[in-house]
Amino acid sequence: YLMGMQAEFTRARDWVEKSLSFDKSIDASVFETTIRIIGGLLSAYDLSGDPIFLERAKQCADRLLPAFNTPTGLPWNLVNLRTGKAKNPSWTKHSSTLAEFGTEQMEWIALSQRTGNPLYREKVEHVLEHLVNSKPSSGLFPLFMDPSSGKWTSSQISFGAMGDSFYEYLLKVYLMVGRQGRWTKLLPLWQETMDAMINTLTRRSSPNKLLYVAEQKNGKLVDKMDHLVCFVPAMLALGADHTDPEAAKRYMDTASELTNTCVAFYLRHPTKISPELVLFKGGNDFISGGNHNILRPETVESLFLMWRKTKDPIYRDWGWEIFQGFEQYSRSKGGYGGVIDVRKERPYRDD
């Protein structure tokens, strides 16, 4: 639709009307289904005005609603779309995951705004209220919470997997609905988390002095950084305009340095493609800790927003280099595939 490909859009729209059904006996991720399916359908509705997209988004959310039937209202991670039976996976020790239940607010609020039904908004705002009231004194939120008791079940802190997008949504929900009313408190809370991240988790490598965001486990820092963390520069750039000048400078300086680090994840490999995660061994310069790439967008998002914010052409140049890497090593006849080992001169794609 954005590119004027009306014939293709119409074909997809007709499929959504005639063939898209959520009456499936599968355990769906509440989070993934929310951000991709509901978010995608609402975007198509906003662009086209075609009511079929809004109707399908509502049908999808209605299938997810049973996940919120817990003593606290915090949703389970998984729900069977046909039966409504919900659960958490065993690998989380049956806890709910911060980056999942903390990253559903924008889409459900948007659904309420467009349907006029407050139910969707109320479900996810209740979760956000519980999180705000459960904020640790450190300003950094653990990764897991029990949806029955509403208590944290972990002390692990990460801006990578299982933590990342919660912090992003603190800011974006404020920008969406928090300029007045009860959610004005989200901006100072977001700033508190950013200051805690910078003060507690950021470190520099040796000898190249790359700034990175470590994880915290059992009260100790772990010198590991997921590619997922590379959303942080974009988030800081987006939030800097809503802070005082001193904080804005600090956030933009941090965003600039972290972008440099994330770009290094790409350009230091022969493919010009980043691994899934890197390790800063003992604070030394990084090595690949997970050699595959599954086409994650975080660094490119940060390059895009950093260029918009600063107009420094280096961000476009870096983006072009990364794009060429994906064109050369990820592109196939039918689309783009992940790269199995970004360290190899001639890597294989996954399927």
Side-chain angles (χ1 to χ4, degrees):
Y1 194 95
L2 288 168
M3 297 171 70
M5 299 167 68
Q6 285 298 322
E8 292 83 355
F9 181 83
T10 299
R11 189 161 71 244
R13 178 253 175 241
D14 290 345
W15 180 86
V16 167
E17 180 179 36
K18 297 171 185 174
S19 301
L20 178 60
S21 169
F22 301 104
D23 183 19
K24 310 281 187 185
S25 184
I26 59 168
D27 290 332
S29 163
V30 179
F31 160 68
E32 299 285 3
T33 307
T34 291
I35 66 169
R36 303 181 194 283
I37 308 302
I38 297 177
L41 288 166
L42 288 176
S43 295
Y45 172 70
D46 285 349
L47 288 166
S48 68
D50 192 322
I52 189 61
F53 296 115
L54 182 59
E55 177 62 24
R56 292 289 181 266
K58 177 183 175 299
Q59 290 172 357
C60 184
D62 288 344
R63 295 276 180 174
L64 299 179
L65 275 173
F68 291 84
N69 293 337
T70 66
T72 61
L74 269 67
W76 301 102
N77 288 358
L78 302 169
V79 63
N80 186 292
L81 295 181
R82 179 170 291 165
T83 67
K85 185 177 180 180
K87 64 181 181 181
N88 281 334
S90 58
W91 66 266
T92 69
K93 298 181 180 177
H94 306 291
S95 292
S96 296
T97 307
L98 177 66
E100 298 200 6
F101 66 81
T103 313
E104 296 161 352
Q105 284 68 30
M106 291 180 70
E107 291 79 8
W108 286 60
I109 291 170
L111 185 60
S112 279
Q113 290 173 335
R114 286 150 182 76
T115 62
N117 184 346
L119 175 65
Y120 309 111
R121 178 175 187 151
E122 289 167 357
K123 291 291 185 184
V124 294
E125 286 192 339
H126 174 75
V127 173
L128 190 57
E129 190 75 60
H130 184 84
L131 278 167
V132 170
N133 292 336
S134 304
K135 178 187 72 69
S137 59
S138 68
L140 298 172
F141 289 73
L143 297 184
F144 299 107
M145 180 174 275
D146 183 340
S148 296
S149 68
K151 303 293 185 182
W152 297 110
T153 59
S154 163
S155 61
Q156 187 175 353
I157 307 292
S158 175
F159 275 73
M162 298 175 288
D164 51 357
S165 49
F166 161 68
Y167 298 99
E168 176 189 2
Y169 268 45
L170 276 182
L171 174 65
K172 290 183 176 178
V173 172
Y174 167 77
L175 295 176
M176 185 180 185
V177 296
R179 311 292 180 98
Q180 55 189 7
R182 63 191 290 226
W183 295 119
T184 55
K185 59 189 173 186
L186 291 182
L187 183 61
L189 175 58
W190 176 78
Q191 287 187 250
E192 183 182 350
T193 67
M194 293 304 100
D195 293 339
M197 176 197 71
I198 293 170
N199 293 336
T200 306
L201 301 181
T202 57
R203 303 181 80 173
R204 291 188 185 278
S205 70
S206 176
N208 292 309
K209 305 302 182 187
L210 291 174
L211 189 72
Y212 63 96
V213 182
E215 298 183 1
Q216 192 176 81
K217 199 168 186 177
N218 299 322
K220 296 182 179 180
L221 291 186
V222 179
D223 293 311
K224 164 183 172 285
M225 180 168 160
D226 293 349
H227 180 277
L228 286 164
V229 181
C230 292
F231 85 97
V232 170
M235 174 179 60
L236 290 171
L238 191 61
D241 286 339
H242 304 278
T243 61
D244 62 82
E246 182 179 348
K249 183 180 186 307
R250 189 183 194 203
Y251 294 164
M252 286 305 298
D253 288 346
T254 303
S256 176
E257 288 202 69
L258 287 176
T259 303
N260 294 347
T261 301
C262 291
V263 169
F265 294 172
Y266 285 81
L267 301 189
R268 289 199 196 171
H269 289 93
T271 52
K272 301 294 190 285
I273 295 176
S274 171
E276 173 71 354
L277 61 96
V278 303
L279 304 173
F280 291 86
K281 289 284 191 179
N284 291 323
D285 208 12
F286 68 81
I287 60 170
S288 174
N291 303 324
H292 59 290
N293 180 287
I294 52 174
L295 306 179
R296 293 198 188 275
E298 289 80 13
T299 296
V300 173
E301 178 196 17
S302 286
L303 289 171
F304 176 69
L305 280 171
M306 289 296 288
W307 177 78
R308 272 201 166 178
K309 179 88 173 176
T310 68
K311 295 298 188 289
D312 187 333
I314 190 63
Y315 297 116
R316 301 181 81 184
D317 294 341
W318 283 337
W320 181 246
E321 284 192 75
I322 291 169
F323 172 71
Q324 289 178 305
F326 282 121
E327 283 289 287
Q328 182 172 354
Y329 296 108
S330 288
R331 186 168 185 157
S332 66
K333 185 176 180 180
Y336 292 80
V339 173
I340 291 174
D341 191 338
V342 301
R343 303 169 303 167
K344 293 187 178 299
E345 295 281 351
R346 301 182 67 181
Y348 290 106
R349 283 190 300 270
D350 66 22
D351 188 356

